[in-house]
Amino acid sequence: MRADSFWAARMQTLVHLVYPPRCLSCGGLVESDFGLCAECWRDTPFIAGLGCDLCGVPLPGSSDHAEHCDECLNIPRPWTHGRAALVYADTGRRLVLSLKHGDRQDIARPAAQWMARRSRDLLRPDMIAVPVPLHLHRLLRRRYNQSALLAEHLARELGIDWCPDALERREATPSLDGKDRNERFETLQGKINVPAWRTRMVEGRPVLLVDDVMTSGATLAACAEACLAAGATEVCVSVLARVAKDA
C-alpha cells in the first residue's frame, strides 16, 4: 500500500470513530457512509422490474416490450423515455423532502446512484445531463438547486457531461402544490427556455433531463420542449421519485 493511501485509510478510520456512519433517513448507525439502515431500506419504495417507459412508474407483471401507464397513454410527453428510482411515498418521500427543503445535500450522491441503476439504458453518445431549473429568487432563498445536485452526481455515475444552467425560468411561477394537471401545464407554458449563451450546450445533442420528483410531468414537459426548441436531438428523463396514484 502506498504511503498516501495508508494515511488516507487511517484518517478515514479516525473520522468514522469520531463521526460513525449514519442512516440517511433515520440517523441510526450503519456500516458505511451514505447508506440506509435495514429498516429504512425495507421501507424505501425502490422501483424494480417493469416500469412505464415514459415516466418510470412501476407497472404490474413483466414484458419484453416497452409499456406505458394509463396516464402516459393519455397525455402526450415531449420526451422519448423516462425512468424513476423511487415511488414518492414512505421513506422515499422523506428523502426527497429532506433533500429539497431540509438542506440534506448529502442525499444527492446516493440518490444519483439509485437513479443511475434505472437510467443507464437511456445513455446515448454525447448525451448531456440538464437539471430542471429554479427561478433565481427561489434559488437564492434555498441556496442550492436539488435537481442540479442530482444531475451533477448522476452525470458522474453515467460518465456524461452536465450543465447546471442550460435551462432557465424566465419568470417566477407560483407553487404547483394543490393545482390540478391542467393548471400545472398552463402555469408552466412558455416559462422555461434555453438561454442564448447555452444553446450550443444542447444543440445537436441528446439531453437527459434530471429532477427530484415527477407529479404530473408539467415541469419536465416544459423543460423538454425548451431543449427540443434549442436543437436537442432527443430528450430523456431521469427522476429520483415518481408520484404514483396508489402510493
Side-chain angles (χ1 to χ4, degrees), residues 28-39:
L29 294 175
V30 292
E31 294 183 358
S32 60
D33 291 323
F34 309 112
L36 294 169
C37 68
E39 184 174 350

Side-chain angles (χ1 to χ4, degrees), residues 136-163:
L136 180 59
H137 293 166
R138 186 167 295 175
L139 179 60
L140 291 174
R141 287 198 303 270
R142 192 175 295 172
R143 298 182 295 107
Y144 65 94
N145 179 357
Q146 73 280 356
S147 298
L149 293 176
L150 291 171
E152 178 181 10
H153 288 290
L154 181 58
R156 289 178 181 173
E157 289 291 325
L158 298 177
I160 62 177
D161 293 337
W162 80 291
C163 182

Side-chain angles (χ1 to χ4, degrees), residues 107-117 149-150 153-154 157 240:
I107 293 174
R109 176 180 166 187
Q113 293 172 347
W114 304 333
M115 294 166 69
R117 285 198 289 267
L149 293 176
L150 291 171
H153 288 290
L154 181 58
E157 289 291 325
L240 174 55

Side-chain angles (χ1 to χ4, degrees), residues 50-54 59 63-69 80-81 83:
L50 183 63
C52 173
D53 190 51
L54 280 172
L59 297 174
S63 176
D64 295 330
H65 308 285
E67 301 291 346
H68 297 146
C69 67
T80 55
H81 305 282
R83 301 290 182 267

